[in-house]
Amino acid sequence: MSKISACFTGHRTASRSAHYKDAEKLIQMAIARGINHFYCGMALGFDQIAAEVLVDHQLSWQAVVPCLDQDAKWSNSQKQKYHKLLKQADKKVVLFAQYSNGVMQARNEYMIKRSELLIAFWDGSQMGGTFHTVSLALGKNISIIRYNPQSKEFSETCQKWSQLSLF
């Protein structure tokens, strides 16, 4: 079976207690669209909630770590949870040895390049990493399924491929 992949983007303010079921529903929506593999950037908040859902449901996923020191400024409990999740990924890729400007964007581009669908936990704000990842997906004609934590609505944006002209 070939991989049909999706990746995640979302706000760091998402909490497991409030948003686990929302992440679960988004992942179920992706599976209903034929997705059988997931890329997760492992950021605090929504990314790690999504990783927990993937682990709990024994789904195929890859951790995409932007840099080895991604967790350098996190609390001890955040670091423990992060490393526990990393050990449960089917595969892990680390893009850079250490943090520098642009590594988070490079992670997002890596995941978008390999995905047919973006799963977004996004309130519609026009700034930040989630907004830029959504914009990148739209620019690449990648469909998006989204949960808006403010309106509590789920939505889908299906991108249509435009016909290429060779002339």
Side-chain angles (χ1 to χ4, degrees):
M1 176 192 313
S2 64
K3 286 184 187 176
I4 304 171
S5 302
C7 61
F8 300 99
T9 190
H11 301 303
R12 293 184 181 151
T13 56
S15 70
R16 187 189 198 289
S17 60
H19 301 110
Y20 181 92
K21 293 270 187 216
D22 302 321
E24 196 171 42
K25 182 170 179 179
L26 285 166
I27 290 168
Q28 289 170 352
M29 291 169 70
I31 292 168
R33 292 183 71 164
I35 299 299
N36 59 19
H37 182 75
F38 299 86
Y39 292 99
C40 184
M42 301 304 295
L44 293 173
F46 180 70
D47 282 10
Q48 290 189 18
I49 296 166
E52 289 181 85
V53 172
L54 297 172
V55 169
D56 291 348
H57 291 274
Q58 300 177 351
L59 297 168
S60 172
W61 70 288
Q62 178 175 337
V64 181
V65 179
C67 53
L68 284 174
D69 57 350
Q70 177 177 12
D71 64 344
K73 296 183 179 181
W74 298 354
S75 71
N76 284 336
S77 64
Q78 290 169 330
K79 288 179 183 186
Q80 288 173 350
K81 177 181 172 185
Y82 171 72
H83 288 284
K84 181 181 178 185
L85 285 169
L86 282 178
K87 288 178 186 173
Q88 296 176 83
D90 297 318
K91 187 176 177 186
K92 177 178 86 170
V93 62
V94 178
L95 301 180
F96 299 94
Q98 63 186 26
Y99 177 82
S100 63
N101 287 338
V103 299
M104 304 304 175
Q105 293 85 353
R107 173 206 51 209
N108 297 339
E109 290 172 11
Y110 178 97
M111 294 189 304
I112 289 290
K113 184 178 181 180
R114 290 157 176 79
S115 297
E116 287 77 31
L117 177 72
L118 175 66
I119 299 170
F121 179 93
W122 179 48
D123 63 10
S125 62
Q126 302 289 300
M127 51 191 260
T130 301
F131 168 69
H132 290 293
T133 306
V134 168
S135 298
L136 182 62
L138 291 171
K140 302 276 187 187
N141 265 337
I142 293 173
S143 295
I144 300 168
I145 55 175
R146 170 185 171 199
Y147 175 72
N148 182 331
Q150 290 183 345
S151 68
K152 302 195 182 320
E153 294 178 334
F154 291 87
S155 61
E156 296 187 41
T157 304
C158 297
Q159 297 292 81
K160 303 276 187 201
W161 288 100
S162 57
Q163 186 172 354
L164 296 176
S165 173
L166 299 176
F167 304 100

